[in-house]
Each structure stands twice: as C-alpha cells, then as structure tokens.
Amino acid sequence: MNFLRKERDYSQHPFIVIWEVTRACALKCLHCRAEAQYTADPRQLSFEEGKKLIDEVSQFDDPLFVFTGGDPLMRPDLYDLAKYAIEEKGLSLSMTPSATPKVTKSAIEKAKDLGLSRWAFSLDGSKAEIHDHFRGTRGSYDLTMNGIDHLQKLNIPIQINTTVSNYNLNDLEAIAEKVKDMGAVLWSLFFLIPTGRGMQKDMITPKQHEAVMKWMYRIQQEMPFHVKATEAPFYRRVFAQERKRNPFVAGEGSKITDALGRAPQGVNDGDGFVFISHLGDVYPSGFLPIKCGNVREQTLPEIYRDSPVMNALRNKSLLKGKCGMCEFKELCGGSRARAYAVSGDYLESDPSCSYVPLAMR
C-alpha cells in the first residue's frame, strides 16, 4: 500500500472510499453508527452491483478502499468481491471486520492470500471489562486479541481503531501501550459522533478533546506507530500549534513518515472522504447521514463530484459561526458530522472544538 499518497484535488478524487458491504453483525456496540442488525438486509447491493461499484471506485486516483459493515465477514461473497477489487482493479483494499468467531486464522490467511493491504480491529479498552461493555458483547475483547494474534503470526499490517468517549477516556494511555505491544502500524482514534446508537452524553467535553489532541501529539513522537484522528479535524490545528511550540521529533525506531496519518492533505466529511451504504446510498461519511445519491441511479464519481452537498462541504468559505471565522478553517474545517448531529446544520461550528479564533478575541 502507498502510505505516502500524493496530494490530489479532493473535488475530483477522494482519498478514502468506504463501502458498508452489509449491516449484518453479531455485536451490539453502544456507539454503532450503522445500528447494525443480526441479519443482512435483502436489499443490500448484490454481487454484480458490488462489482459495478468497485469499477467506479477504480476510476478515482489511487484511493484507499475499505470494506466495512456491520461485519464484512457476514457477507458470503466478501472474498470474491475483495479478489475482484485487488486482482482485477488493482485497488489497495483494507477491511474492518467485527471481532466474532468468524475471525479465524483460516479467514485471515485467505485475506492475506488475496493481497489485503491491512486488517483493522476495534479496541475500545485495555481490558475486557471496558472493551466488552462498549461493544455490548461479553467475550469480544478475547476474540479481538485472538484475531490480532493471528495477524501478528501472519505478518499482516495491523490497524487499531478506538472510539474515544466517556467510557474509555481514562484508559487511553493503557490502550496506547497495548497498540505498541502488538506492533500495529496505525492507531486511529475516532471521536464519538452522536449518530446511530451514539449518544451526546457519551461525548467528551471540548476541553477534554483539546487535552487528548495534545496528548496525541506527544505520543506520536514516542510511539513506533502512526496516530490518526477521525472526526476530529482540529487535531491538524493542534498539531500545527504544538509543532510550532515544540518541534516534532520522531522517537527512536519510529515508522513515522506522515505524522498526520497517511493523507498529505486534511480529509473531512465529503472532502476527500466518501461513504457508500449497504443499499448503495452515498454519504459524505458514515457519520453524516445526508444522502447525496445512490449508485443504482448514478455513478459514484458523478455523485461525489457533482452533489451540491459534497460541493458545499468542500467550500470552507460557507462555514458558519466560529468555524467560519477561524484562521485554521482551511487546515481544519471542523467535523461536519458532529456539527450536523448537534445543531442540524452541517455548516455550523464543531461544538467539540474549544479554540477561540483570533477574530473573536
């Protein structure tokens, strides 16, 4: 996989394309964006429709393509779709399965044989008590660690996703140590958006967001893995400020080549990021539930490039409130998903950012 992808015109080519291949999942996660269900929706994209979607994804310039869910492993034709994406279309494909008994060594070996670029697991606590509560399923932590053990033995690059919330805020240090011990290449911290099953009461405060961002800057210098923030674009602002005060020096043995976590430019909802649901509906991200089209009616490139909502999200001059006045709006832009979830307006200020722009002082 090309981790140092070149800069691109996000109005034409997204950096990351995520396809929710199914909503079927055996877990009952407290924060679940998808409000996943135990069985697949019979209306989900068929195999042939999936191949057509993959054809359209390949029309973009070297995107990072991700199969998500639900649980991707609940889809019987998953490996056939993966084989088509990798072997026929040359896409860099990653997958984010749920930690269930379906994650066997043979399942992971099959993915490796196909050329899967990376396997991502969610780890929301350093111990079973915290992780299993968050995932809503007893035994999820042990299954996660078993899956990670398989990945280590098969030398498949590991990505760990952690949703930051009030449930695990005080456990982040311990989780970071676990991520280090397992030899992960990327730790992606997702900052809770109150959508799906996610609740506003579970979000950390703006002050806590700022503190976590500064801590992330510090551990990026110490740890041998990349650190990335999802739905917290103000990490780019904090990173710039902290780097000015305390120049970034990668720790000994560090793998860091792109300190902001892969993308050479900031990725935001609809701006370098596009999400396709199991039904083919296209959204700016999985956390911003504003439908921009459907791949059964239009092509994915047409929707991404021409949707009025997508174009508005890419125009930072349209931002309102504090975000609109901020000198960092081109670098950051705020979480459009969180603004929408809290205010109902995707162009409003990100309520989790504590920074006061110079124009407001």
Side-chain angles (χ1 to χ4, degrees), residues 185-203:
V185 297
L186 176 68
W187 188 25
S188 183
L189 288 90
F190 288 68
F191 289 80
L192 186 71
I193 301 293
T195 189
R197 293 191 193 123
M199 303 292 288
Q200 196 164 337
K201 67 179 179 61
D202 298 329
M203 290 169 50

Side-chain angles (χ1 to χ4, degrees), residues 102-264:
K102 285 186 175 291
V103 182
T104 61
K105 186 177 181 182
S106 62
I108 296 175
E109 284 178 329
K110 192 171 181 179
K112 181 180 181 180
D113 291 342
L114 285 174
L116 198 75
S117 298
R118 180 183 300 176
W119 193 294
F121 274 119
S122 293
L123 183 66
D124 295 300
S126 64
K127 52 189 176 181
E129 178 186 355
I130 300 172
H131 177 89
D132 287 359
H133 174 71
F134 196 75
R135 290 285 150 185
T137 305
R138 184 176 296 177
S140 175
Y141 177 84
D142 291 337
L143 287 168
T144 298
M145 299 311 293
N146 287 341
I148 290 168
D149 182 62
H150 293 325
L151 293 175
Q152 290 171 323
K153 290 176 179 176
L154 292 169
N155 294 315
I156 295 178
I158 302 168
Q159 173 178 328
I160 297 299
N161 298 333
T162 299
T163 298
V164 180
S165 71
N166 285 322
Y167 292 106
N168 60 6
L169 179 63
N170 295 323
D171 195 40
L172 293 179
E173 295 260 10
I175 298 174
E177 288 298 324
K178 279 203 168 288
V179 174
K180 177 184 177 182
D181 292 343
M182 64 183 63
V185 297
L186 176 68
W187 188 25
S188 183
L189 288 90
F190 288 68
F191 289 80
L192 186 71
I193 301 293
T195 189
R197 293 191 193 123
M199 303 292 288
Q200 196 164 337
K201 67 179 179 61
D202 298 329
M203 290 169 50
I204 63 176
T205 67
K207 184 177 179 180
Q208 289 169 330
H209 272 88
E210 192 79 3
V212 172
M213 300 293 143
K214 292 180 179 179
W215 173 76
M216 286 171 63
Y217 177 83
R218 292 198 303 274
I219 67 164
Q220 179 66 96
Q221 300 181 62
E222 302 166 0
M223 294 295 188
F225 50 78
H226 295 259
V227 178
K228 175 180 176 291
T230 297
E231 290 300 348
F234 41 86
Y235 177 51
R236 297 193 283 273
R237 185 260 306 162
V238 172
F239 189 97
Q241 291 174 317
E242 292 299 300
R243 190 167 191 171
K244 187 174 181 179
R245 285 192 287 262
N246 177 25
F248 187 91
V249 180
E252 183 179 353
S254 174
K255 301 174 184 175
I256 298 164
T257 51
D258 168 19
L260 292 183
R262 297 182 318 220

